[in-house]
Amino acid sequence: MKMAFLFILVVCISFTSAQNEGWQLASGTAGACFSATSFATGYEFNAPYAGEIIGAKLVYRSGGVNCNSNQYPDSYWGCGNGHIYTELIKEDAAGNAALYPTSSTDTVTTVNTWDCANGCTVKSWLSDTYNANSNEIILMDASTPYVVDESDIFSLQYSEGCCGYTTSDNSGESCADVYFYYIAATCEES
């Protein structure tokens, strides 16, 4: 009996880890785009699996965004002032919520927040590793895991566009691949 239980436990852990643990493409093959001038729609995506995530990876694909096109060149994620304006939100009829970055996200040094009816509560942020033109941004926060389901809806948003704040001098749209970092599920004995 001990041998059978051990075999079931090993198989359960191996299957769960092999299928879901680590980076999983969430945004699909089309990627997710966001606008510097408005709340971006039409680029929503779902979690690829039900499970628990502790991070998101954003990989630049195309485009450029700007918080002041009269003063700065376009960037992938933010503005020429050095700040990153992109955030990952979970969309919900009861109210959208920013997931990443958080004040406890690894490599994030500063998070500037504000009130926004669309749920984009992160105005801008700074990192000691990434900048507004990094090809890839990894946002890991093991202290704030999120339980996600395949029916959950997510999007990337540019804070000023999302909130409709000072957008008259903004310009552009950027697109990225989004990956979620899943932690291994634990199997429960029945």
Side-chain angles (χ1 to χ4, degrees):
M1 185 66 170
K2 282 185 185 178
M3 182 69 97
F5 175 74
L6 181 59
F7 176 74
I8 291 169
L9 180 63
V10 170
V11 169
C12 180
I13 290 173
S14 297
F15 175 75
T16 302
S17 297
Q19 184 177 0
N20 294 344
E21 186 176 18
W23 292 113
Q24 301 292 329
L25 180 63
S27 58
T29 56
C33 299
F34 53 96
S35 170
T37 59
S38 63
F39 185 90
T41 59
Y43 299 105
E44 298 84 1
F45 55 93
N46 302 90
Y49 303 104
E52 196 168 27
I53 63 169
I54 58 167
K57 177 169 52 173
L58 313 179
V59 180
Y60 174 76
R61 287 182 76 164
S62 63
V65 288
N66 202 317
C67 71
N68 186 336
S69 57
N70 300 319
Q71 187 173 357
Y72 303 118
D74 286 353
S75 70
Y76 300 162
W77 313 106
C79 201
N81 62 10
H83 291 257
I84 300 171
Y85 287 51
T86 306
E87 60 193 287
L88 173 69
I89 68 166
K90 179 179 178 184
E91 296 186 20
D92 189 286
N96 300 336
L99 298 187
Y100 296 106
T102 66
S103 59
S104 56
T105 299
D106 298 346
T107 76
V108 172
T109 57
T110 305
V111 175
N112 299 306
T113 60
W114 60 1
D115 291 327
C116 173
N118 284 333
C120 295
T121 55
V122 176
K123 180 179 190 264
S124 66
W125 56 280
L126 296 170
S127 168
D128 58 10
T129 306
Y130 305 108
N131 62 54
N133 283 307
S134 294
N135 285 319
E136 175 180 283
I137 294 176
I138 296 175
L139 301 167
M140 295 292 287
D141 187 353
S143 68
T144 311
Y146 296 103
V147 175
V148 298
D149 186 81
E150 295 98 329
S151 64
D152 291 337
I153 300 170
F154 302 91
S155 66
L156 291 179
Q157 297 292 335
Y158 189 90
S159 63
E160 288 184 357
C162 176
C163 300
Y165 180 75
T166 66
T167 58
S168 62
D169 58 356
N170 289 13
S171 64
E173 179 178 276
S174 273
C175 301
D177 289 325
V178 181
Y179 296 80
F180 287 164
Y181 191 88
Y182 284 83
I183 55 176
T186 56
C187 299
E188 296 181 21
E189 184 181 351
S190 52

